[in-house]
Amino acid sequence: MGVFAMPSLGSDMEAGTLIEWLVKPGDTVKRGDVVAVVETQKGAIEIETFEAGRVHQLQAKLGQKLPVGAPLAVILAEGEDAPTETAGLVLEKAVPVSESELPAAVSVAEPAPLVRQFHTAPIPTSPVVSRSGDPVASPAARKRAAELGLDLSTIQGSGLGGAIQLADVENAATKAPALPLPASVTEKADVTSSPADEMRRAIAAAMARSKREIPHFYVNQTIDLSPASQWLEATNADRDPGNRILMGALFVRASVLAAGSAPTINGHYENDTFIPSTPVHAGIAVALRGGGLVAPAIVDADELTLDETMSAMRDLVTRARAGRLRGSEMTKGTITISALGETGAEAMSGVIFPPQVALVGIGAPQRRPWVVGTSVEPRNTVTITLSVDHRVCDGRQAARFLAKFETSMQSPEAL
Amino acid sequence: MSPNDIRTAFLEELVKVAPDIEPDAVGDDDHIQEDLELDSMDVLNLVTALHGRFGVDIPERDYPQIATPALAVTYLAKAG
C-alpha cells in the first residue's frame, strides 16, 4: 500500500492547495501518471504518482491546503486487499493546516496581474486538458469561481478547447446568484498578497538560500556565433513557422552535451554530498509576462535531438505560462540554462537553483570585432557564463564545460 | 480582407500569445518586442498563428515587416 502524499515541488515549498483530482477510487494508475493538480507559489503544478496500482481512497478534499508530506490518497498495489484501518489512520494526519500555522509565504492569494499568465493559450503543442472530465479551467478562473461560489460546470468557457478563463467566470458572476460559500473558501477571502507577490517570495527564498549555502564561482567565455547563426538561417528558410528552431534551442542542446561530458556539473547536492546524474534534465529559466520566473526541466534532454529539444522547449514555455507544469519538471532539473534573449546585456552571472550545482547564463548576442586568422572581422558573438558550486567542482572542469559548449556551437549541424 | 479586418485579426493572435496585452491599448506603431515585450518564442508563436490564419509563410528575414500592427497590416495585405 502506498500513501500518495503532498510532494515538495521545490526546496522552499511548505504547503500546497489541492485544486483538482484527475483520478477517482477504483482507477488504475501507473508510475508517472498525473493524478492531481496542486496550486503552489509558482502556479498550478500537475502531480504524478510514483506508485503503480489502484486508487483506493482519496483523502484530501479540493481546496484543502496541506503541508508537504500530508497524505492525499491511498494507492494499493496490484492484488492488494483494502486495508481496514487506513481511513482513520490517514485522515488523522490529513487535517489541513490552518492559515495561522503557516508562514506568510504560503497563504492563499487573490488573483492579480500575474494571473493573466494562467489563461494564456498560445499555440499549444499539447493542449491543456482535464483528464478527469471536469471542466477545463485556468487556475485563476478556478480560484475566482471558488471565491464567488460558482460551479465551474455551469460556466461556458471561451478559451482554447472551451477552457474556462477568468473573464468567463467574471461574466458568469454577473448573471448567476452566488451559492453559499463552503467554509474552506471563505477563509481565503481576507488574504491580501497577490500571486505575483507569492512568486516573488518563492524566488527570494530559493535565491537567498542559494547564495547563503552555495559558494559560487564563475567562468565565462565569448564565442563566435556566426556558424550557428548562418546554419540556423539556412535551416529555417526551408521550414514552416511551426517547425522553425530558435537559437535558444541550440544553446540548450550545447549545454546538455557539455553537461553530459562534465560529471561534476550535472546533478544534485544534498546532505553534504554531491549526487551526479547520468541523464541530463535541462532546467529552462522561463520569464513569465507580468513578472516572475520558473525553471522547469526538460526531462532526459540528453536523449533528444535538436528538433525534439525545440519542441520540448515550446511545450514547456507554453505550459509554464498556462500554469500546467508537472511536479517532476519542477524538481528533476540537474542543471539550468538561462538566456537573456535576443537583445540586451552581453553577459549574466546567474544564481544556481538548489539543489543543482551549476547554471549556464547566456548573454544577448553582440556584434563584435573577431580575429579570424590574421584579420579582424565583424562577427556575431555571445558570452556564456557558467556559475558553479565550488563545493563540488573546480575551475578546470568548469572551463572544460565551456570548451565543449563552444566546440558544439561551431558545428551546429551536429547538434 | 479590409485593412481593418487584418488589424483586428493580427491583434487577436497577438493577444492569444500574450493575454496580458489589452488590444485597445496597442498603438499602430507599437513594436511587438521593444514596446510589447514579446520574446523570441512569443514571436515564433505569433508567426505560426499568422501562418495558420492567413496562409502566409512569413520567412525569418521578413519578421521586421510584422514588427508593428501598421507594418503587419501592409505586409499581410500584400502577401494575402
Side-chain angles (χ1 to χ4, degrees):
Chain A
M1 184 188 81
V3 173
F4 174 66
M6 177 69 74
S8 170
L9 301 168
S11 55
D12 297 284
M13 171 170 159
E14 304 206 17
T17 302
L18 180 69
I19 56 172
E20 189 177 353
W21 275 117
L22 299 169
V23 293
K24 55 186 187 307
D27 283 357
T28 302
V29 292
K30 56 183 191 305
R31 211 178 131 85
D33 281 355
V34 175
V35 298
V37 183
V38 168
E39 182 83 28
T40 72
Q41 286 176 304
K42 296 201 169 184
I45 309 290
E46 294 184 340
I47 308 301
E48 303 113 312
T49 173
F50 294 97
E51 307 235 8
R54 189 167 47 80
V55 178
H56 172 59
Q57 193 170 34
L58 303 182
Q59 304 286 353
K61 296 202 165 42
L62 295 183
Q64 254 186 325
K65 174 153 39 176
L66 297 157
V68 169
L72 301 178
V74 177
I75 295 173
L76 300 178
E78 205 164 323
E80 188 181 359
D81 288 330
T84 48
E85 295 297 320
T86 321
L89 175 89
V90 179
L91 273 175
E92 191 182 344
K93 284 195 279 179
V95 174
V97 285
S98 74
E99 294 290 331
S100 59
E101 289 169 45
L102 286 170
V106 293
S107 53
V108 181
E110 297 284 333
L114 181 74
V115 162
R116 289 178 183 156
Q117 285 301 338
F118 295 148
H119 50 99
T120 313
I123 334 299
T125 44
S126 58
V128 175
V129 291
S130 160
R131 291 167 182 76
S132 64
D134 286 345
V136 180
S138 72
R142 224 169 256 290
K143 195 174 284 179
R144 189 70 186 129
E147 285 164 5
L148 295 167
L150 293 173
D151 181 354
L152 281 174
S153 64
T154 65
I155 299 175
Q156 183 72 39
S158 69
L160 195 83
I164 299 166
Q165 310 200 342
L166 184 58
D168 302 325
V169 177
E170 301 287 4
N171 285 342
T174 61
K175 295 171 197 153
L179 301 171
L181 295 180
S184 65
V185 173
T186 48
E187 281 171 19
K188 297 174 186 173
D190 59 353
V191 181
T192 52
S193 66
S194 70
D197 293 338
E198 293 296 314
M199 179 165 295
R200 210 62 248 168
R201 283 200 193 104
I203 293 169
M207 296 298 95
R209 179 190 154 195
S210 174
K211 279 287 185 168
R212 200 164 54 234
E213 295 180 3
I214 302 179
H216 287 63
F217 75 97
Y218 309 89
V219 288
N220 58 64
Q221 186 162 346
T222 299
I223 68 170
D224 181 8
L225 199 56
S226 304
S229 304
Q230 285 159 13
W231 178 83
L232 196 58
E233 198 182 321
T235 302
N236 283 341
D238 299 332
R239 293 182 173 214
D240 284 346
N243 292 315
R244 284 178 198 158
I245 300 171
L246 293 173
M247 185 61 84
L250 274 66
F251 291 144
V252 169
R253 190 75 193 116
S255 299
V256 167
L257 290 172
S261 68
T264 53
I265 303 273
N266 186 57
H268 285 178
Y269 189 91
E270 283 167 311
N271 303 321
D272 296 328
T273 311
F274 175 62
I275 305 144
S277 172
T278 306
V280 180
H281 306 307
I284 309 293
V286 180
L288 300 177
R289 292 181 59 85
L293 187 73
V294 286
I298 298 174
V299 174
D300 293 322
D302 52 316
E303 293 176 5
L304 304 182
T305 64
L306 178 59
D307 276 310
E308 288 165 348
T309 302
M310 178 63 201
S311 300
M313 283 173 70
R314 224 172 167 169
D315 173 49
L316 208 60
V317 171
T318 301
R319 287 189 294 108
R321 294 184 169 177
R324 276 291 167 146
L325 293 167
R326 304 233 169 102
S328 57
E329 293 168 336
M330 299 301 283
T331 54
K332 268 194 159 179
T334 55
I335 185 167
T336 294
I337 297 111
S338 182
L340 286 176
E342 292 171 319
T343 55
E346 66 181 40
M348 172 175 55
S349 304
V351 182
I352 298 166
F353 279 88
Q356 297 168 28
V357 298
L359 179 135
V360 188
I362 298 169
Q366 312 282 330
R367 198 116 173 110
R368 292 279 188 262
W370 194 258
V371 176
V372 183
T374 55
S375 61
V376 177
E377 294 179 10
R379 289 280 170 108
N380 286 331
T381 66
V382 68
T383 299
I384 313 302
T385 305
L386 185 68
S387 308
V388 197
D389 184 339
H390 219 329
R391 296 173 299 184
V392 173
C393 174
D394 301 318
R396 184 186 288 262
Q397 293 139 321
R400 197 180 301 142
F401 177 99
L402 289 181
K404 173 75 178 165
F405 185 102
E406 180 179 25
T407 306
S408 297
M409 290 299 289
Q410 302 315 303
S411 307
E413 68 286 350
L415 286 170
Chain B
M1 278 176 104
S2 75
N4 215 27
D5 292 341
I6 295 175
R7 187 181 190 280
T8 305
F10 177 82
L11 287 180
E12 275 175 21
E13 298 304 336
L14 180 68
V15 170
K16 277 189 209 161
V17 169
D20 56 312
I21 293 176
E22 292 290 340
D24 296 342
V26 177
D28 273 345
D29 297 322
D30 282 356
H31 193 285
I32 55 173
Q33 285 176 286
E34 284 157 25
D35 297 316
L36 303 176
E37 298 186 338
L38 264 57
D39 64 16
S40 52
M41 186 72 84
D42 295 327
V43 172
L44 181 57
N45 283 333
L46 177 63
V47 168
T48 306
L50 295 173
H51 176 242
R53 184 142 177 179
F54 292 91
V56 178
D57 180 13
I58 305 163
E60 282 185 326
R61 63 175 177 280
D62 288 352
Y63 285 5
Q65 297 187 52
I66 58 150
T68 70
L71 287 169
V73 168
T74 307
Y75 180 85
L76 293 169
K78 220 186 300 174

